[in-house]
Structures are given as C-alpha cells and as structure tokens.
Amino acid sequence: MNKATHSPGRATENISIMSFNGKFELQSHENFEPFMKALGLSDELIEKGKDLKSISEIVQNGKKFKVTVTTGSKVLTNEFTIGEEAELETPTGEKVKAVVQMDGDNKLVTNLSKIKSVTEIKGDIVTNTMTMGDISYTRISKRI
C-alpha cells in the first residue's frame, strides 16, 4: 500500500530554500558614501541617509517575496517571484524591470539597471551587496 499522502507532481513545485521571513535591522554598512555618489545622489541626501536607522522586512511565501525597507521616513517596497520579471525600485527611486534568481538556497541575485544586487541569509544575518562597476556597497542586518 502506498503511504504517500501528497498529490503526485506537487514535489517539483516546492523549492527548498532557506526562509528569508523576518524583520532585520541594519547593523553596519560599508562604502555607503562612494556608492551613493556613483548613483548620483546629492551630498545633502548622502549626509542625511548615512546614519539613518534602517529596517528591512521580508515576507516570503514559496517563490513569492515582498521586501520592504524603511530608512528614516523613506519606504521602499519591492514584490517579486523568483524567476519572473518584476518591476523593482532601485535605491534612487528609479523603477526597472528585472528578474530575481535564487543562487543555492540562501541567495537572491538580480541586476537592476547598472547595479548587481546579491542578498544572502545566514542564520539571523542578512547581507546585501550592491555592485556598480568597481564599487560595492554592503549592508549587514540582523534579525530583530
């Protein structure tokens, strides 16, 4: 007698990826000023933004993600499904079409216009590295 209780064909729909769900507070960041300058942000905006508290909330439902980053009074929300084109907002507010891919079971990778973004989760730490040309900006956040 077959003891399997799941319906046939469903197994291929499940992707075994680490859960990204949670709220994460920015602990540290490297190369903020040079990266934001390269993006074209004004010195005034860079000065205002460099010490602001930043909270990221990630809601994951299988391959669907909603990422909300609140920095000071600015809220940036992106929703996407792994492997499907979505309209994503860049740190400068520009909206671009991009596809987010999984790399292994704990990394999200996408190209936003001139920026390559890699987000990796290890336990309670999320590391987001954005690279444009030869400048990389890294944000390290901890689950709260």
Side-chain angles (χ1 to χ4, degrees):
M1 183 171 172
N2 184 353
K3 293 185 178 184
T5 56
H6 67 279
S7 55
R10 293 282 303 190
T12 55
E13 291 176 27
N14 295 335
I15 52 175
S16 66
I17 55 177
M18 188 171 275
S19 174
F20 281 80
N21 280 313
K23 276 191 174 185
F24 303 86
E25 184 174 10
L26 182 67
Q27 299 294 302
S28 64
H29 55 155
E30 298 164 12
N31 286 339
F32 175 80
E33 292 179 57
F35 187 82
M36 294 303 160
K37 260 190 205 312
L39 281 180
L41 262 63
S42 70
D43 289 344
E44 182 186 346
L45 284 175
I46 291 169
E47 199 56 39
K48 278 185 190 170
K50 71 177 183 180
D51 296 320
L52 288 176
K53 185 174 169 181
S54 182
I55 303 285
S56 301
E57 182 174 14
I58 303 172
V59 178
Q60 176 191 351
N61 183 0
K63 294 168 89 173
K64 293 185 185 307
F65 284 77
K66 179 178 181 181
V67 179
T68 306
V69 180
T70 305
T71 306
S73 61
K74 182 172 173 29
V75 179
L76 183 142
T77 301
N78 282 317
E79 294 187 54
F80 58 89
T81 301
I82 299 297
E84 296 180 15
E85 186 176 76
E87 187 175 81
L88 302 175
E89 188 176 342
T90 70
T92 60
E94 179 187 1
K95 293 193 185 287
V96 296
K97 293 205 179 292
V99 177
V100 179
Q101 301 288 358
M102 284 299 298
D103 178 0
D105 65 355
N106 67 334
K107 275 188 195 173
L108 301 173
V109 180
T110 191
N111 286 298
L112 302 168
S113 188
K114 308 171 282 217
I115 303 167
K116 179 179 182 179
S117 174
V118 178
T119 302
E120 181 175 16
I121 187 165
K122 286 184 181 171
D124 287 337
I125 304 295
V126 170
T127 304
N128 174 240
T129 302
M130 290 183 274
T131 306
M132 186 171 68
D134 59 356
I135 300 174
S136 288
Y137 167 49
T138 302
R139 295 168 48 93
I140 299 169
S141 301
K142 187 177 190 321
R143 191 183 302 269
I144 53 173

